[in-house]
Amino acid sequence: MKLAEAESTMQKTVESTQRAFNTIRTGRASGSLLDKVLVDYYGSPTPLKQLANISTPDATTILIQPYDRGSLNIIEKAISLSDVGLTPSNDGTVIRLNIPPLTSDRRKEFVKVASKYAEEGRVAIRNIRREAIDAIRKQEKSAEISEDESRDQQDKLQKMTNKHTEKIDHLLAEKEKDITTV
């Protein structure tokens, strides 16, 4: 595994962690809350955002307008069965999701979930580092690179790991602030 390859994989891990954070509810309505909702559309699981226009007309409402009106009921059912924790209301043309204000206990739960996602991201980055170090040591053992080059690459890899871990920590701090702000 080359350093550039490790850097790219670490960056993708940070982006994946960011997407996971986006699915956690804060006090405001956000269409990204529905990113993980899959609708059984003609027998195949389809992401909700491919089947409907999702908008937030105000801070406490998400409006879902299906492209195909026939899919209104299956979209409503998929949202009800998902882990979003919101009850959809269907008026025949659109689905409304009202975002209730979060209780302090619920906010603490969401902070824990965010921390879990951040830790998963940090573990993934450390695993990438471990794989890259193993590859560098193999190169050193087979005399493809010198001991000094090996040490230099491992140092660069550690700096890269620290940089990406700090990015995740920063994203976590922002998300915690969003969740705890009333």
Side-chain angles (χ1 to χ4, degrees):
M1 180 181 268
K2 303 251 186 292
L3 287 179
E5 192 178 319
E7 169 111 49
S8 167
T9 311
M10 286 181 186
Q11 186 57 41
K12 287 177 185 167
T13 301
V14 170
E15 291 166 6
S16 172
T17 304
Q18 174 66 53
R19 282 192 301 275
F21 285 161
N22 287 344
T23 63
I24 299 173
R25 233 177 91 193
T26 59
R28 295 181 305 278
S30 167
S32 61
L33 290 174
L34 303 172
D35 283 354
K36 289 185 177 178
V37 176
L38 294 175
V39 178
D40 189 26
Y41 191 64
Y42 291 110
S44 67
T46 309
L48 177 59
K49 60 184 171 186
Q50 290 181 9
L51 298 175
N53 181 29
I54 301 170
S55 61
T56 52
D58 59 58
T60 61
T61 309
I62 299 176
L63 196 66
I64 303 159
Q65 189 166 20
Y67 302 127
D68 171 15
R69 279 177 112 174
S71 65
L72 201 63
N73 290 330
I74 59 170
I75 290 174
E76 184 179 17
K77 183 179 176 189
I79 293 169
S80 296
L81 296 174
S82 72
D83 62 353
V84 174
L86 299 172
T87 307
S89 65
N90 174 352
D91 70 3
T93 55
V94 295
I95 297 173
R96 283 182 182 19
L97 294 173
N98 290 317
I99 312 291
L102 295 174
T103 64
S104 62
D105 289 343
R106 198 78 172 120
R107 288 179 193 279
K108 288 176 189 169
E109 271 181 53
F110 286 141
V111 167
K112 285 180 187 174
V113 171
S115 297
K116 186 186 88 164
Y117 287 155
E119 186 55 32
E120 287 171 2
R122 288 189 289 261
V123 167
I125 286 174
R126 288 193 297 265
N127 286 339
I128 295 164
R129 178 192 61 192
R130 184 178 37 79
E131 289 172 15
I133 285 177
D134 289 347
I136 291 168
R137 287 183 179 149
K138 278 183 186 173
Q139 286 180 324
E140 182 186 345
K141 218 174 231 177
S142 66
E144 291 175 41
I145 60 174
S146 70
E147 192 176 325
D148 289 342
E149 279 180 286
S150 170
R151 220 175 267 122
D152 284 348
Q153 286 186 5
Q154 288 180 38
D155 288 345
K156 285 179 186 172
L157 191 61
Q158 184 58 49
K159 286 178 184 161
M160 208 184 304
T161 302
N162 294 344
K163 180 180 90 174
H164 287 86
T165 304
E166 285 171 12
K167 282 182 186 177
I168 287 180
D169 291 341
H170 178 71
L171 291 172
L172 175 62
E174 281 181 10
K175 190 63 178 184
E176 282 180 349
K177 184 179 161 213
D178 277 355
I179 292 170
T180 56
T181 303
V182 179

